[in-house]
């Protein structure tokens, strides 16, 4: 397959090498890079790289996504694929997809650190042409989950997941640092491990029902916790955010009760 890669930074180089190894033809473009990966061609513009491609992979920063789409989509052949891997917002993906005409616009969410996992990093794709993108990346060893919906759906899935994964990471870091400052790091690590190893669905249900029900008491507890973390001299952003969220839940409950 003829593939164009727009953006030849570290991530672009990884995918270029993997697709070359899989036997695909690669033409790349990056305004800041003057040499192509070994075995690939280097175009003088994004449009030049995209015009004859069967599949375009956009690996720039999110801020460049609209400009790249405006340059590439009008010159691409009907039925070809344009895969945006830029981590743009779902709304931006939807808007760009609406301008794709006869080109299949594919919204691709990267679900892990490509620098660490390479081309085998899990991906999620949506939009017409997502299955073809999944088939292409499978030749490079990348698992691609195709989800229902048009452009924007894959990024919506990723960002909803990030609410939990990035939030959880921040909470764990705050708790472990506080535990270390209190001389109780092994204990708090064990407590976190027990929570993460439990029945996931039951834990979710308990959080959804119990937190709202006991929001007043738990908000007060978190304010006390914030004071304790201040005494320990450790960051407490997540603790303060939890207290604010529970205070809001308590107010919602009061208003709902009349």
């Amino acid at each position: 397959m003829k593939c164009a890669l727009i953006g030849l930074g570290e991530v672009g180089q990884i995918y270029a090498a993997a697709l070359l190894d899989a036997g695909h033809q690669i033409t790349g473009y990056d305004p800041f890079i003057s040499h192509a990966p070994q075995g690939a061609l280097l175009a003088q513009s994004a449009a030049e790289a995209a015009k004859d491609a069967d599949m375009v992979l956009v690996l720039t920063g999110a801020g460049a996504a609209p400009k790249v789409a405006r340059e590439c989509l009008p010159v691409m052949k009907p039925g070809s694929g344009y895969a945006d891997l830029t981590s743009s917002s779902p709304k931006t993906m939807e808007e760009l997809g609406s301008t794709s005409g006869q080109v299949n616009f594919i919204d691709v969410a990267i679900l892990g650190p490509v620098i660490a996992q390479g081309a085998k990093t899990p991906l999620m794709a949506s939009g017409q042409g997502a299955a073809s993108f999944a088939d292409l990346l499978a030749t490079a060893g990348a698992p691609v989950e195709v989800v229902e919906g048009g452009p924007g759906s894959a990024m919506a899935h990723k960002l909803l997941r990030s609410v939990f994964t990035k939030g959880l990471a921040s909470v764990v870091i705050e708790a472990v640092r506080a535990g270390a400052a209190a001389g109780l790091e092994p204990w708090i690590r064990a407590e976190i491990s027990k929570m993460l190893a439990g029945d996931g669905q039951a834990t979710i249900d308990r959080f959804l029902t119990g937190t709202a029900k006991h929001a007043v008491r738990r908000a007060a507890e978190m304010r006390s916790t914030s004071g304790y973390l201040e005494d320990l001299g450790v960051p407490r952003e997540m603790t303060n955010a939890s207290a604010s969220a529970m205070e809001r839940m308590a107010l919602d409950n009061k208003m709902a009760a009349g």
Side-chain angles (χ1 to χ4, degrees):
M1 184 176 283
K2 293 182 179 179
C3 301
L5 271 68
I6 312 300
L8 294 172
E10 196 167 8
V11 173
Q13 296 276 346
I14 288 171
Y15 282 110
L19 290 168
L20 283 166
D21 287 345
H24 302 288
Q25 299 176 46
I26 302 297
T27 299
Y29 172 72
D30 191 308
F32 305 107
I33 292 179
S34 59
H35 63 279
Q38 186 174 0
L41 300 174
L42 190 66
Q44 297 304 305
S45 68
E48 181 186 331
K51 65 180 181 179
D52 294 322
D54 301 309
M55 183 71 69
V56 172
L57 282 71
V58 182
L59 293 153
T60 66
K67 180 179 183 297
V68 174
R70 287 194 299 270
E71 187 172 349
C72 293
L73 289 171
V75 304
M76 292 176 64
K77 57 190 179 183
S80 57
Y82 182 93
D84 188 318
L85 292 82
T86 65
S87 292
S88 297
S89 70
K91 182 178 180 180
T92 297
M93 290 290 196
E94 185 178 355
E95 291 173 347
L96 294 179
S98 70
T99 69
S100 63
Q102 298 183 62
V103 175
N104 296 322
F105 189 98
I106 306 150
D107 163 23
V108 182
I110 301 174
L111 303 181
V114 177
I115 304 306
Q117 298 178 320
K120 292 180 170 54
T121 304
L123 305 172
M124 181 178 286
S126 64
Q128 188 173 357
S132 295
F133 174 80
D135 290 341
L136 169 66
L137 270 291
T139 66
V144 182
E145 180 183 359
V146 176
V147 295
E148 294 183 0
S153 180
M155 278 305 301
H157 280 73
K158 175 181 178 176
L159 296 185
L160 288 172
R161 178 177 176 266
S162 293
V163 173
F164 171 71
T165 57
K166 304 305 189 293
L168 177 63
S170 299
V171 168
V172 168
I173 290 169
E174 189 164 295
V176 171
R177 286 181 176 173
L184 296 169
E185 182 176 347
W187 178 82
I188 193 61
R189 280 177 170 268
E191 289 295 299
I192 294 169
S193 295
K194 284 190 291 185
M195 177 68 72
L196 296 178
D199 183 336
Q201 291 295 338
T203 299
I204 292 170
D205 290 339
R206 187 170 73 252
F207 287 164
L208 289 172
T209 57
T211 302
K213 182 178 179 181
H214 303 291
V216 173
R217 175 177 59 79
R218 292 182 181 181
E221 179 181 332
M222 292 308 291
R223 289 300 177 195
S224 296
T225 303
S226 177
Y228 177 50
L229 267 58
E230 182 177 17
D231 292 341
L232 290 173
V234 297
R236 58 191 190 283
E237 294 94 344
M238 300 306 294
T239 299
N240 286 335
S242 295
S244 295
M246 291 174 189
E247 287 164 354
R248 190 258 309 154
M249 291 180 206
L251 181 59
D252 289 346
N253 291 342
K254 183 177 181 180
M255 294 177 65

